[in-house]
């Protein structure tokens, strides 16, 4: 199978070179020509993410060679993935310049029995977790946050969702005490990370467990300090790091990210919210939208256009730390003594409830000079991007956590629900579904662990987008299957799987919409380097 995965990679590389040849003018890629090849670029981005997931799984199997179940899981995943890649390449062979017979050799000789056998084992042995390569320390962290998710978050998650409540203070307080806001902040600033070594893996482990408890009421609490901390660590002055990072790490300050605007979401470089220089700072004027947790936060990380020349694009942007009081609920208004005003109104959503995502209106809102991250205007886009890589891998981990919760619920239900005289888990189709869920979750997890290592070594920006793409798409399918296994009960508001389903839907939209990541980050990078 390893050899077939390499063959799949070779074919994808051939296709990427083919696209490059058709989209280049001289030695540069032409954006308009690239746009004319969106469909195959998108498919190739997905293939590349699947191949990276398969690689991560094969490495996992090699390191856990004594574990029979893991070998079964990895084999089943690689077979499924090779079928999926071969199908995708076959469909687009002509447009990708590939030979159909060569693609045909990718199809594995194995049949569906691999999945059916795995499913039977999963049901019989009630497999919720596989063996792990995590260090003892990370396993301890996982156990701590798993307890927190089960005992503190899960009991209130459903009510928060159904009543669209604020995350209760006891969750925020306990999460802060456990250090969850400081997972990407070095110890010298009060965070959980060693000073001399980044530890994205620790952050992933914590995120997964919290998201298993609830995406909206726990797992996503980490995203904002994660993005803010990475931006501050990448671009902030020493003074700014000392001022903000300890407050973020301890949870004394809660933060929100305000990048998206009503007219500009995926196209971040074109945002228009104005930052106008004054004697001692800046005045913000304009709108932001979808700023999650902006009500409860006292720190907003705001991307603004500090140079009015729109033709400068991303070079005219600066990133600001904007202070405001914390407000509970769905609406707020704050007036500064200087006359500035900030108004926020939560957008009603189908899921992802608890933090609330706000429309924000800034009117002459004053921000002092010292709150310009990096103290140099025009650098905001780079600082934002530094934060985004962290946000993307963290979102992949959020997806894994939601999938794990959905899988556990489906497995338990399949074992006890009797239809036509037998537990539905005794039927082959249910067994195959559960096996597919398990292999997908394992792949998402192992893939995110692999990318965490890359990020910690200073690389992995494109791979963070790949794992986000892979895991978030997978979460939609896994939560759908969990709901399906529950039959009518799955559609009831009172069952947790209906919440997992609506929550999972947002994962492919935020932190880089699926298409934007596939086309503008992954495919572009792969085509450029083909
Ligand atoms: C619940 C929720 C919470 C959020 N939280 C935050 C937050 O805290 N802070 C924040 O700043 N933002 C936040 N967002 C905003 C989120 O990041 C944006 O919604 C996302 O970036 C997409 O932008 P958009 O909604 O403007 O979609 P658009 O940019 O309008 O895109 C619409 C669709 O077109 C596709 N598309 C875009 N460009 C292309 C192209 N060139 N070719 C083909 N297809 C394309 C997109 O992929 C998408 O499917 C949140 C969003 C949601 C739903």
């Amino acid at each position: 199978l390893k050899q077939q995965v390499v063959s799949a990679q070779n074919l994808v590389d051939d296709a990427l070179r083919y696209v490059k040849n058709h989209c280049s003018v001289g030695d540069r890629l032409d954006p308009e020509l690239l746009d004319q090849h969106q469909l195959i670029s998108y498919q190739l981005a997905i293939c590349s993410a699947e191949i990276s997931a398969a690689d991560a799984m094969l490495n996992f199997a090699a390191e856990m060679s004594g574990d029979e179940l893991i070998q079964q899981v990895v084999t089943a995943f690689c077979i499924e993935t090779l079928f999926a890649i071969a199908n995708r390449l076959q469909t687009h062979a002509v447009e990708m310049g590939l030979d159909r017979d060569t693609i045909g050799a990718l199809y594995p000789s194995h049949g569906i029995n691999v999945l059916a056998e795995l499913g039977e084992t999963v049901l019989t042995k009630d497999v919720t977790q596989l063996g792990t390569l995590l260090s003892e320390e990370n396993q301890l962290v996982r156990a701590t946050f798993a307890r927190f998710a089960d005992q503190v978050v899960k009991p209130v998650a459903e009510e928060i969702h159904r009543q669209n409540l604020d995350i209760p203070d006891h969750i925020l307080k306990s999460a802060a005490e456990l250090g969850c806001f400081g997972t990407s902040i070095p110890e010298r600033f009060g965070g959980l990370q060693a000073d001399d070594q980044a530890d994205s893996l620790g952050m992933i482990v914590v995120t997964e467990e919290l998201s298993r408890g609830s995406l909206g009421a726990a797992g996503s609490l980490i995203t904002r300090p994660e993005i803010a901390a990475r931006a501050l660590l990448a671009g902030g002055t020493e003074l700014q790091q000392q001022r903000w990072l300890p407050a973020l790490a301890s949870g004394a300050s809660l933060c929100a990210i305000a990048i998206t605007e009503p007219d500009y979401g995926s196209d971040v470089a074109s945002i228009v919210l104005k930052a106008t220089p004054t004697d001692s700072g800046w005045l913000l004027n304009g709108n932001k939208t979808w700023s999650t947790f902006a009500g409860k936060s006292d720190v907003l990380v705001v991307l603004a256009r500090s140079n009015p020349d729109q033709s400068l694009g991303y070079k005219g942007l600066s990133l600001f730390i904007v202070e405001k009081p914390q407000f509970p609920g769905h609406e707020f208004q704050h007036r500064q003594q200087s006359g500035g005003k900030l108004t926020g109104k939560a957008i009603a959503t189908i899921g992802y409830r608890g933090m609330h995502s706000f429309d924000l209106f800034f009117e002459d809102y004053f921000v002092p000079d010292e709150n310009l991250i990096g103290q140099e205007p025009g650098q905001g886009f780079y600082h934002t991007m530094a934060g985004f890589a962290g946000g993307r891998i963290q979102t992949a981990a959020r997806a894994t956590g939601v999938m794990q919760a959905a899988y556990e619920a489906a497995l338990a239900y399949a074992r006890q629900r009797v239809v036509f005289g037998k537990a539905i888990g005794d039927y082959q189709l249910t067994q195959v579904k559960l096996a597919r869920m398990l292999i997908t979750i394992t792949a998402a997890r192992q893939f995110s662990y692999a990318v965490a290592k890359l990020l910690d070594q200073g690389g992995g920006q494109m791979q963070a987008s790949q794992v986000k793409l892979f895991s978030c798409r997978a979460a939609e399918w896994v939560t759908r299957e969990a709901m399906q296994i529950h039959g009518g009960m799955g559609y009831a508001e009172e069952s947790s799987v209906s919440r997992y389903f609506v929550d999972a839907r947002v994962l492919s939209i935020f932190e880089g919409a699926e298409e934007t990541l596939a086309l503008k980050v992954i495919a572009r990078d792969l085509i450029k380097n083909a």
Side-chain angles (χ1 to χ4, degrees):
L1 284 173
K2 195 177 174 71
Q3 194 44 51
Q4 271 168 294
V5 173
V6 172
S7 303
Q9 178 70 66
N10 291 339
L11 277 173
V12 168
D13 287 345
D14 287 347
L16 289 166
R17 275 190 290 275
Y18 184 85
V19 181
K20 185 176 185 177
N21 285 338
H22 285 76
C23 296
S24 298
V25 176
D27 55 2
R28 291 192 56 236
L29 286 175
D30 182 90
E32 293 212 351
L33 288 174
L34 275 176
D35 275 351
Q36 288 168 24
H37 292 76
Q38 279 198 351
L39 177 57
I40 52 174
S41 300
Y42 175 76
Q43 298 295 344
L44 288 170
I46 294 174
C47 286
S48 77
E50 288 171 342
I51 290 170
S52 300
D55 281 338
M57 286 289 264
L58 287 165
N59 290 339
F60 181 48
E63 296 208 45
M64 300 289 276
S65 55
D67 189 319
E68 193 49 44
L69 183 57
I70 288 175
Q71 306 306 310
Q72 242 183 310
V73 165
V74 171
T75 303
F77 178 76
C78 289
I79 291 169
E80 281 274 292
T81 302
L82 282 165
F83 274 117
I85 293 171
N87 284 342
R88 215 172 276 120
L89 296 182
Q90 284 289 14
T91 308
H92 301 283
V94 174
E95 296 82 6
M96 290 179 183
L98 297 176
D99 171 56
R100 285 222 158 95
D101 289 340
T102 317
I103 298 170
L106 282 186
Y107 285 105
S109 51
H110 310 64
I112 195 68
N113 273 352
V114 184
L115 272 178
E117 280 162 23
L118 176 61
E120 205 181 336
T121 311
V122 161
L123 261 305
T124 319
K125 299 195 173 157
D126 195 18
V127 178
T128 52
Q129 286 283 353
L130 298 176
T132 181
L133 286 166
L134 287 177
S135 66
E136 267 183 33
E137 195 187 336
N138 273 333
Q139 287 191 54
L140 203 67
V141 170
R142 181 162 85 179
T144 305
F145 281 88
R147 256 194 319 277
F148 176 68
D150 288 331
Q151 293 171 6
V152 181
V153 178
K154 275 197 169 184
V156 291
E158 185 200 330
E159 201 196 351
I160 293 171
H161 170 69
R162 288 175 71 181
Q163 312 297 330
N164 203 4
L165 304 176
D166 290 1
I167 296 176
D169 285 341
H170 78 269
I171 289 190
L172 296 177
K173 192 165 166 281
S174 312
E177 280 164 8
L178 286 172
C180 97
F181 296 108
T183 51
S184 288
I185 297 178
E187 278 170 350
R188 70 178 187 283
F189 296 119
L192 289 186
Q193 253 189 46
D195 285 337
D196 54 353
Q197 208 196 333
D199 177 23
S200 300
L201 197 53
M203 178 274 286
I204 286 175
V205 167
V206 174
T207 298
E208 244 192 63
E209 284 308 327
L210 292 179
S211 304
R212 194 177 56 80
S214 163
L215 180 73
S220 303
L221 285 172
I222 301 184
T223 322
R224 279 130 274 283
E226 165 73 24
I227 295 173
R230 287 201 192 239
L232 275 165
L233 288 166
T237 62
E238 181 65 29
L239 216 62
Q240 289 174 330
Q241 293 175 354
Q242 277 170 11
R243 176 162 175 212
W244 300 110
L245 291 175
L248 291 177
S250 67
S253 271
L254 299 174
C255 75
I257 309 296
I259 310 284
T260 308
E261 297 183 358
D263 288 337
Y264 301 101
S266 308
D267 186 7
V268 173
S270 299
I271 58 125
V272 294
L273 183 128
K274 259 196 310 192
T276 314
T278 65
D279 282 348
S280 55
W282 301 79
L283 286 181
L284 300 190
N285 277 288
N287 302 347
K288 290 285 178 188
T289 188
W290 290 114
S291 182
T292 302
F293 213 37
K296 279 291 268 193
S297 296
D298 51 336
V299 162
L300 306 179
V301 179
V302 179
L303 187 66
R305 189 159 291 282
S306 51
N307 188 318
D309 181 358
Q310 192 76 22
S311 72
L312 282 175
Y314 67 89
K315 291 184 183 148
L317 304 179
S318 297
L319 199 60
F320 295 92
I321 299 266
V322 174
E323 293 167 271
K324 66 173 259 302
Q326 296 184 345
F327 295 99
H330 294 230
E331 269 184 72
F332 67 86
Q333 195 178 85
H334 172 56
R335 273 185 191 280
Q336 296 178 306
Q337 280 183 347
S338 56
K341 192 166 122 184
L342 173 61
T343 314
K345 193 170 185 318
I347 303 164
T349 54
I350 57 171
Y352 193 56
R353 294 178 180 158
M355 308 185 84
H356 317 311
S357 299
F358 287 80
D359 278 327
L360 298 176
F361 308 93
F362 294 85
E363 291 169 61
D364 286 334
Y365 201 83
F366 177 73
V367 186
D369 264 334
E370 63 261 27
N371 288 22
L372 166 63
I373 295 183
Q375 296 285 273
E376 196 189 332
Q379 300 298 308
F381 190 75
Y382 304 108
H383 306 332
T384 307
M385 289 301 135
F388 273 0
R392 283 169 190 164
I393 193 171
Q394 200 264 347
T395 304
R398 286 193 274 174
T400 310
V402 174
M403 285 193 272
Q404 180 71 30
Y407 168 73
E408 286 174 12
L411 181 61
Y413 194 79
R415 285 162 68 85
Q416 54 100 3
R417 173 70 174 172
V418 175
V419 183
F420 296 118
K422 273 208 301 197
I424 47 171
D426 288 343
Y427 293 109
Q428 188 189 49
L429 192 53
T430 316
Q431 293 172 355
V432 169
K433 279 172 188 276
L434 285 160
R436 276 211 172 98
M437 290 161 91
L438 180 65
I439 63 174
T440 307
I441 296 165
T442 308
R445 181 174 294 128
Q446 294 307 321
F447 190 5
S448 68
Y449 289 0
V451 177
K453 278 194 198 137
L454 290 179
L455 278 184
D456 291 350
Q457 290 157 6
Q461 303 283 317
M462 189 276 287
Q463 289 83 352
S465 294
Q466 275 186 329
V467 71
K468 198 254 171 196
L469 180 78
F470 175 84
S471 308
C472 297
R473 278 167 55 90
E476 282 172 38
W477 176 80
V478 167
T479 53
R480 185 256 183 218
E481 288 297 84
M483 182 187 260
Q484 194 68 19
I485 285 174
H486 279 72
M489 265 318 287
Y491 202 63
E493 262 208 327
E494 70 184 73
S495 73
S496 57
V497 288
S498 64
R499 171 164 50 88
Y500 302 149
F501 180 70
V502 286
D503 279 355
R505 191 58 198 83
V506 78
L507 294 163
S508 289
I509 296 174
F510 60 26
E511 300 300 330
E514 175 179 306
E515 299 74 10
T516 319
L517 284 188
L519 299 173
K520 304 270 175 196
V521 184
I522 303 168
R524 188 179 283 178
D525 185 278
L526 294 172
I527 293 167
K528 194 171 133 213
N529 295 310

